[in-house]
C-alpha cells in the first residue's frame, strides 16, 4: 500500500534525522549499551556511516512517493545495507 509505505518511510526519516551527537557523548559506549567503543574511537568514520544511512533513508522517502514498488524495494535494500554497515562495525555483538 503506497500510503502505508510513505508513512513508514516518513517515520524512518524522522528517526534518521535525530541527532547522532546524542549517542556520541563520552561514556555512552560504557555500561548497558550496544554501542561498541570503536564508535567513539572512530567518531568521524561513525558519523560518515550515519550520514550514508540518512541519505539512503531520504532517498527511500522520496522513492515511496513514486509508487514504483521495484524502485522502493531497491532503495529499501540500500537502507538495509547502510544499517548493516554501521551495526556490523559499531555495535557490540
Amino acid at each position: 500500500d503506497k500510503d502505508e509505505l510513505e508513512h513508514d518511510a516518513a517515520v524512518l526519516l524522522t528517526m534518521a534525522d535525530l541527532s547522532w551527537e546524542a549517542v556520541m557523548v563520552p561514556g555512552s559506549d560504557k555500561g548497558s549499551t550496544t554501542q561498541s567503543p570503536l564508535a567513539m574511537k572512530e567518531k568521524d568514520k561513525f558519523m560518515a556511516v550515519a550520514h550514508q544511512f540518512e541519505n539512503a533513508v531520504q532517498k527511500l522517502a522520496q522513492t515511496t512517493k513514486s509508487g514504483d514498488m521495484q524502485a522502493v524495494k531497491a532503495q529499501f535494500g540500500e537502507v538495509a545495507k547502510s544499517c548493516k554497515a554501521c551495526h556490523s562495525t559499531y555495535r557490540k555483538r
Side-chain angles (χ1 to χ4, degrees):
D1 178 274
K2 182 178 179 287
D3 292 336
E4 194 170 324
L5 282 172
E6 283 186 49
H7 174 267
D8 291 350
V11 170
L12 191 56
L13 184 58
T14 298
M15 291 172 41
D17 284 340
L18 295 175
S19 173
W20 292 101
E21 293 294 330
V23 299
M24 299 307 290
V25 176
S28 61
D29 58 331
K30 310 240 184 304
S32 180
T33 181
T34 60
Q35 182 182 3
S36 166
L38 189 59
M40 298 299 286
K41 290 178 187 170
E42 297 182 352
K43 183 178 178 179
D44 290 341
K45 290 181 182 179
F46 173 86
M47 294 303 289
V49 173
H51 292 305
Q52 289 173 355
F53 168 71
E54 290 173 342
N55 291 335
V57 171
Q58 287 172 351
K59 288 179 185 173
L60 177 64
Q62 292 169 353
T63 304
T64 58
K65 294 177 184 188
S66 73
D68 179 347
M69 288 306 296
Q70 291 303 97
V72 170
K73 288 178 185 180
Q75 188 56 39
F76 181 82
E78 294 302 312
V79 171
K81 284 180 193 175
S82 69
C83 291
K84 185 175 181 175
C86 185
H87 286 201
S88 65
T89 304
Y90 299 112
R91 187 173 180 157
K92 289 181 188 173
R93 292 181 184 90

